Amino acid sequence: MSLSELQDEADAGAPTHVQGAASFSKFITVLQIIADAPGTLDIAQLTKRAPFPRGTVYRLVAALMAEGLVTQSGDGGTFRLGPRLLQLAAKTWEDSDLRTIARDFLESLRDATDEAVHLAVPSHNRMVYIDKLVGSNRVQMKTSIGGQVELHSTSVGKAWLSGLPDQRLLEVIKSLDLRRHTAKTFTTPEALFDELKRTREQGFAFDDEENEPDIRCLGSPIFSRSGEPVGAVSISMPVYRHDARRHELCARLVRQTAKQISAELSRMV
């Protein structure tokens, strides 16, 4: 089915909005803006970036600060995520069944490739790294647990997207800001949709310097017992360590690892 055909079908069966979702979305939007530029935005800059009236932004920020979800520095009055939010996030990652189940498989993947491996889960149209293991090489990706990356330009993001059913995939693609990060980034819904069809067919996603120059990644989706994509595992390396032989090896191993994690996840949860 083509992207335009999916669009027509999705529009015909579009769901109604959940009551209260708009208000909640405003808080999440402000949190995301702060998370994307921690310690760099004061209230004037924040009001320019947030798509809400100035008074609304002031009230949202005040409420977030009162709950400890956002803090303001004394130097310049810039904002960053607060300790309560970070504590909640850390608790989530520590207690994650997926992270616990995947750890041994991630270690095996790291040992077999001697490259950085990541485990990521979807969050608000992004992927969040919940685990990372590195190889012995001195040159590594500058990523960290808790870091967020976009769906359309990364192997973990494209892998997760490829596991979605067509209708849900279309909804997500429509909601994405397909920002260009490099000359190779997919920036149109049609091109991204075609790329995800290829990803499905081959069982892994390939980030060919689409998110940052000189870095290539291969990722594969992890599925729950019900067949829902719940995350992705990836291998990342600099371009100079990637060739046809390594590509074939890493593609096979990342597919295998994702299948093993999915199988174990289905048995335990």
Side-chain angles (χ1 to χ4, degrees), residues 115-156:
E115 299 291 355
V117 300
H118 294 88
L119 179 67
V121 295
S123 176
H124 194 58
N125 278 357
R126 293 189 172 221
M127 298 296 286
V128 178
Y129 292 128
I130 63 171
D131 208 352
K132 175 185 179 180
L133 298 174
V134 299
S136 63
N137 296 291
R138 296 181 62 183
V139 178
Q140 299 285 348
M141 284 187 67
K142 295 180 180 179
T143 53
S144 60
I145 296 175
Q148 299 185 36
V149 292
E150 294 186 83
L151 297 176
H152 70 290
S153 58
T154 62
S155 68
V156 288

Short mmCIF file of all heavy atoms in Angstrom, two decimals, residues 115-156:
data_model
loop_
_atom_site.label_atom_id
_atom_site.label_comp_id
_atom_site.label_asym_id
_atom_site.label_seq_id
_atom_site.Cartn_x
_atom_site.Cartn_y
_atom_site.Cartn_z
N GLU A 115 32.21 -2.99 19.19
CA GLU A 115 31.67 -1.66 18.90
C GLU A 115 30.66 -1.27 19.97
O GLU A 115 30.25 -2.10 20.79
CB GLU A 115 30.99 -1.64 17.53
CG GLU A 115 31.89 -1.96 16.35
CD GLU A 115 32.93 -0.88 16.06
OE1 GLU A 115 32.91 0.18 16.72
OE2 GLU A 115 33.76 -1.10 15.16
N ALA A 116 30.28 0.00 19.95
CA ALA A 116 29.27 0.48 20.89
C ALA A 116 27.90 -0.09 20.52
O ALA A 116 27.52 -0.10 19.35
CB ALA A 116 29.21 2.01 20.87
N VAL A 117 27.18 -0.56 21.52
CA VAL A 117 25.81 -1.04 21.30
C VAL A 117 24.87 -0.24 22.19
O VAL A 117 25.23 0.17 23.30
CB VAL A 117 25.68 -2.56 21.57
CG1 VAL A 117 26.60 -3.34 20.64
CG2 VAL A 117 25.99 -2.88 23.02
N HIS A 118 23.68 -0.01 21.68
CA HIS A 118 22.69 0.79 22.40
C HIS A 118 21.37 0.03 22.48
O HIS A 118 21.01 -0.71 21.56
CB HIS A 118 22.42 2.12 21.69
CG HIS A 118 23.59 3.05 21.67
ND1 HIS A 118 24.55 3.01 20.66
CD2 HIS A 118 23.97 4.05 22.51
CE1 HIS A 118 25.45 3.95 20.89
NE2 HIS A 118 25.12 4.60 22.00
N LEU A 119 20.66 0.28 23.56
CA LEU A 119 19.28 -0.18 23.72
C LEU A 119 18.44 1.07 23.89
O LEU A 119 18.74 1.92 24.73
CB LEU A 119 19.15 -1.08 24.95
CG LEU A 119 17.75 -1.62 25.26
CD1 LEU A 119 17.30 -2.59 24.17
CD2 LEU A 119 17.74 -2.30 26.63
N ALA A 120 17.39 1.21 23.09
CA ALA A 120 16.58 2.43 23.12
C ALA A 120 15.10 2.08 23.10
O ALA A 120 14.69 1.05 22.57
CB ALA A 120 16.92 3.32 21.92
N VAL A 121 14.31 2.98 23.69
CA VAL A 121 12.86 2.82 23.70
C VAL A 121 12.22 4.12 23.21
O VAL A 121 12.81 5.19 23.33
CB VAL A 121 12.34 2.49 25.11
CG1 VAL A 121 12.85 1.12 25.57
CG2 VAL A 121 12.73 3.56 26.12
N PRO A 122 11.00 4.05 22.66
CA PRO A 122 10.35 5.25 22.15
C PRO A 122 9.81 6.12 23.28
O PRO A 122 9.35 5.62 24.31
CB PRO A 122 9.21 4.69 21.29
CG PRO A 122 8.89 3.37 21.91
CD PRO A 122 10.20 2.83 22.40
N SER A 123 9.88 7.43 23.06
CA SER A 123 9.33 8.38 24.02
C SER A 123 9.02 9.69 23.29
O SER A 123 9.94 10.37 22.84
CB SER A 123 10.31 8.64 25.17
OG SER A 123 9.83 9.63 26.05
N HIS A 124 7.75 10.01 23.18
CA HIS A 124 7.31 11.29 22.60
C HIS A 124 8.00 11.58 21.26
O HIS A 124 8.65 12.60 21.08
CB HIS A 124 7.59 12.42 23.59
CG HIS A 124 6.89 13.71 23.24
ND1 HIS A 124 5.52 13.81 23.12
CD2 HIS A 124 7.38 14.95 22.97
CE1 HIS A 124 5.21 15.05 22.80
NE2 HIS A 124 6.31 15.76 22.69
N ASN A 125 7.81 10.64 20.33
CA ASN A 125 8.36 10.79 18.98
C ASN A 125 9.88 10.92 18.96
O ASN A 125 10.45 11.54 18.05
CB ASN A 125 7.72 11.97 18.25
CG ASN A 125 6.38 11.62 17.65
OD1 ASN A 125 5.94 10.47 17.72
ND2 ASN A 125 5.73 12.59 17.04
N ARG A 126 10.52 10.33 19.93
CA ARG A 126 11.97 10.21 19.94
C ARG A 126 12.33 8.83 20.50
O ARG A 126 11.46 8.10 20.96
CB ARG A 126 12.61 11.30 20.80
CG ARG A 126 12.45 12.69 20.22
CD ARG A 126 13.28 13.71 20.97
NE ARG A 126 13.25 14.99 20.27
CZ ARG A 126 14.28 15.79 20.11
NH1 ARG A 126 15.45 15.44 20.60
NH2 ARG A 126 14.18 16.93 19.46
N MET A 127 13.60 8.51 20.42
CA MET A 127 14.09 7.31 21.08
C MET A 127 15.00 7.73 22.22
O MET A 127 15.80 8.66 22.08
CB MET A 127 14.86 6.43 20.10
CG MET A 127 14.04 5.90 18.93
SD MET A 127 12.69 4.80 19.38
CE MET A 127 13.60 3.29 19.81
N VAL A 128 14.88 7.05 23.35
CA VAL A 128 15.69 7.33 24.53
C VAL A 128 16.60 6.13 24.78
O VAL A 128 16.13 4.99 24.85
CB VAL A 128 14.81 7.59 25.77
CG1 VAL A 128 15.68 7.84 27.00
CG2 VAL A 128 13.88 8.76 25.54
N TYR A 129 17.88 6.40 24.91
CA TYR A 129 18.82 5.33 25.23
C TYR A 129 18.65 4.92 26.69
O TYR A 129 18.79 5.76 27.59
CB TYR A 129 20.25 5.78 25.00
CG TYR A 129 20.61 6.03 23.55
CD1 TYR A 129 21.19 7.24 23.16
CD2 TYR A 129 20.39 5.06 22.58
CE1 TYR A 129 21.52 7.47 21.83
CE2 TYR A 129 20.72 5.29 21.25
CZ TYR A 129 21.29 6.50 20.89
OH TYR A 129 21.62 6.72 19.57
N ILE A 130 18.37 3.64 26.94
CA ILE A 130 18.26 3.17 28.31
C ILE A 130 19.43 2.26 28.69
O ILE A 130 19.56 1.87 29.85
CB ILE A 130 16.92 2.46 28.57
CG1 ILE A 130 16.77 1.21 27.71
CG2 ILE A 130 15.76 3.41 28.35
CD1 ILE A 130 15.56 0.35 28.08
N ASP A 131 20.29 1.95 27.73
CA ASP A 131 21.52 1.22 28.05
C ASP A 131 22.52 1.43 26.93
O ASP A 131 22.14 1.67 25.77
CB ASP A 131 21.26 -0.27 28.24
CG ASP A 131 22.26 -0.92 29.20
OD1 ASP A 131 23.23 -0.24 29.59
OD2 ASP A 131 22.07 -2.09 29.57
N LYS A 132 23.79 1.38 27.30
CA LYS A 132 24.87 1.53 26.33
C LYS A 132 26.08 0.77 26.83
O LYS A 132 26.44 0.84 28.01
CB LYS A 132 25.24 3.01 26.16
CG LYS A 132 26.45 3.24 25.26
CD LYS A 132 26.86 4.70 25.19
CE LYS A 132 28.08 4.90 24.32
NZ LYS A 132 28.51 6.32 24.25
N LEU A 133 26.72 0.03 25.92
CA LEU A 133 27.97 -0.65 26.20
C LEU A 133 28.96 -0.28 25.11
O LEU A 133 28.58 -0.16 23.94
CB LEU A 133 27.77 -2.17 26.23
CG LEU A 133 26.81 -2.72 27.28
CD1 LEU A 133 26.59 -4.21 27.07
CD2 LEU A 133 27.32 -2.45 28.68
N VAL A 134 30.21 -0.10 25.47
CA VAL A 134 31.20 0.32 24.47
C VAL A 134 32.27 -0.76 24.30
O VAL A 134 32.52 -1.57 25.19
CB VAL A 134 31.87 1.65 24.87
CG1 VAL A 134 30.83 2.75 24.95
CG2 VAL A 134 32.62 1.53 26.19
N GLY A 135 32.89 -0.74 23.13
CA GLY A 135 33.99 -1.65 22.84
C GLY A 135 35.31 -1.08 23.32
O GLY A 135 35.36 -0.09 24.05
N SER A 136 36.38 -1.70 22.86
CA SER A 136 37.71 -1.30 23.31
C SER A 136 38.32 -0.19 22.47
O SER A 136 39.36 0.35 22.83
CB SER A 136 38.65 -2.52 23.30
OG SER A 136 38.80 -3.00 21.96
N ASN A 137 37.68 0.14 21.36
CA ASN A 137 38.23 1.17 20.49
C ASN A 137 38.19 2.54 21.15
O ASN A 137 37.25 2.88 21.87
CB ASN A 137 37.45 1.21 19.17
CG ASN A 137 37.57 -0.08 18.38
OD1 ASN A 137 38.63 -0.40 17.87
ND2 ASN A 137 36.49 -0.83 18.30
N ARG A 138 39.18 3.35 20.88
CA ARG A 138 39.27 4.67 21.50
C ARG A 138 38.25 5.64 20.93
O ARG A 138 37.77 6.53 21.63
CB ARG A 138 40.69 5.23 21.33
CG ARG A 138 41.77 4.42 22.03
CD ARG A 138 43.13 5.04 21.84
NE ARG A 138 43.20 6.39 22.41
CZ ARG A 138 44.26 7.18 22.33
NH1 ARG A 138 45.35 6.76 21.67
NH2 ARG A 138 44.25 8.38 22.87
N VAL A 139 37.94 5.49 19.64
CA VAL A 139 36.97 6.38 19.01
C VAL A 139 35.58 5.80 19.20
O VAL A 139 35.27 4.71 18.70
CB VAL A 139 37.27 6.55 17.51
CG1 VAL A 139 36.22 7.45 16.86
CG2 VAL A 139 38.67 7.13 17.33
N GLN A 140 34.72 6.50 19.95
CA GLN A 140 33.38 6.03 20.25
C GLN A 140 32.37 7.16 20.04
O GLN A 140 32.73 8.34 20.00
CB GLN A 140 33.30 5.55 21.71
CG GLN A 140 34.21 4.39 22.05
CD GLN A 140 33.73 3.07 21.49
OE1 GLN A 140 32.60 2.95 21.02
NE2 GLN A 140 34.59 2.07 21.54
N MET A 141 31.10 6.79 19.93
CA MET A 141 30.03 7.78 19.82
C MET A 141 29.85 8.50 21.15
O MET A 141 29.97 7.91 22.22
CB MET A 141 28.71 7.10 19.45
CG MET A 141 28.58 6.69 18.01
SD MET A 141 26.91 6.10 17.67
CE MET A 141 25.95 7.60 17.87
N LYS A 142 29.57 9.79 21.07
CA LYS A 142 29.34 10.59 22.27
C LYS A 142 27.86 10.55 22.64
O LYS A 142 27.12 11.53 22.52
CB LYS A 142 29.81 12.02 22.06
CG LYS A 142 31.31 12.14 21.86
CD LYS A 142 31.74 13.58 21.65
CE LYS A 142 33.25 13.69 21.46
NZ LYS A 142 33.68 15.09 21.23
N THR A 143 27.41 9.37 23.06
CA THR A 143 26.03 9.19 23.49
C THR A 143 26.03 8.77 24.95
O THR A 143 27.05 8.35 25.49
CB THR A 143 25.33 8.11 22.65
OG1 THR A 143 26.13 6.91 22.69
CG2 THR A 143 25.16 8.55 21.22
N SER A 144 24.87 8.87 25.59
CA SER A 144 24.80 8.51 26.99
C SER A 144 23.42 7.97 27.33
O SER A 144 22.43 8.26 26.61
CB SER A 144 25.10 9.72 27.88
OG SER A 144 24.17 10.76 27.64
N ILE A 145 23.32 7.20 28.38
CA ILE A 145 22.03 6.70 28.84
C ILE A 145 21.17 7.90 29.23
O ILE A 145 21.61 8.80 29.92
CB ILE A 145 22.22 5.75 30.04
CG1 ILE A 145 22.99 4.50 29.60
CG2 ILE A 145 20.88 5.36 30.63
CD1 ILE A 145 23.33 3.55 30.73
N GLY A 146 19.95 7.90 28.74
CA GLY A 146 19.06 9.03 28.95
C GLY A 146 19.04 10.00 27.79
O GLY A 146 18.16 10.86 27.71
N GLY A 147 20.02 9.88 26.90
CA GLY A 147 20.06 10.75 25.73
C GLY A 147 18.93 10.43 24.76
O GLY A 147 18.50 9.27 24.65
N GLN A 148 18.44 11.45 24.09
CA GLN A 148 17.34 11.29 23.14
C GLN A 148 17.81 11.55 21.71
O GLN A 148 18.63 12.44 21.49
CB GLN A 148 16.20 12.27 23.48
CG GLN A 148 15.60 12.06 24.85
CD GLN A 148 14.42 12.98 25.09
OE1 GLN A 148 13.64 13.26 24.18
NE2 GLN A 148 14.26 13.45 26.30
N VAL A 149 17.28 10.77 20.79
CA VAL A 149 17.59 10.94 19.38
C VAL A 149 16.30 10.88 18.58
O VAL A 149 15.29 10.34 19.04
CB VAL A 149 18.59 9.88 18.87
CG1 VAL A 149 19.95 10.07 19.50
CG2 VAL A 149 18.06 8.47 19.14
N GLU A 150 16.34 11.41 17.37
CA GLU A 150 15.13 11.48 16.56
C GLU A 150 14.87 10.16 15.84
O GLU A 150 15.77 9.35 15.63
CB GLU A 150 15.25 12.64 15.57
CG GLU A 150 15.28 13.99 16.28
CD GLU A 150 15.24 15.14 15.31
OE1 GLU A 150 14.14 15.52 14.88
OE2 GLU A 150 16.33 15.65 14.98
N LEU A 151 13.62 9.99 15.47
CA LEU A 151 13.20 8.73 14.86
C LEU A 151 13.67 8.60 13.41
O LEU A 151 14.08 7.52 12.99
CB LEU A 151 11.67 8.61 14.90
CG LEU A 151 11.01 8.54 16.28
CD1 LEU A 151 9.49 8.52 16.12
CD2 LEU A 151 11.49 7.33 17.05
N HIS A 152 13.59 9.69 12.65
CA HIS A 152 13.77 9.58 11.20
C HIS A 152 15.22 9.51 10.76
O HIS A 152 15.48 9.15 9.61
CB HIS A 152 13.09 10.75 10.50
CG HIS A 152 13.77 12.07 10.71
ND1 HIS A 152 13.78 12.72 11.92
CD2 HIS A 152 14.49 12.86 9.86
CE1 HIS A 152 14.45 13.85 11.81
NE2 HIS A 152 14.89 13.97 10.57
N SER A 153 16.15 9.82 11.66
CA SER A 153 17.54 9.94 11.23
C SER A 153 18.49 8.97 11.93
O SER A 153 19.70 9.07 11.75
CB SER A 153 18.04 11.38 11.47
OG SER A 153 17.91 11.72 12.84
N THR A 154 17.96 8.05 12.71
CA THR A 154 18.79 7.12 13.47
C THR A 154 18.38 5.67 13.20
O THR A 154 17.23 5.41 12.85
CB THR A 154 18.70 7.39 14.98
OG1 THR A 154 17.34 7.19 15.41
CG2 THR A 154 19.13 8.80 15.31
N SER A 155 19.31 4.76 13.42
CA SER A 155 18.97 3.35 13.19
C SER A 155 17.98 2.83 14.22
O SER A 155 17.09 2.04 13.89
CB SER A 155 20.24 2.49 13.18
OG SER A 155 20.84 2.43 14.47
N VAL A 156 18.10 3.26 15.48
CA VAL A 156 17.13 2.79 16.48
C VAL A 156 15.75 3.36 16.18
O VAL A 156 14.73 2.67 16.35
CB VAL A 156 17.57 3.17 17.92
CG1 VAL A 156 18.74 2.31 18.36
CG2 VAL A 156 17.88 4.65 18.06
#
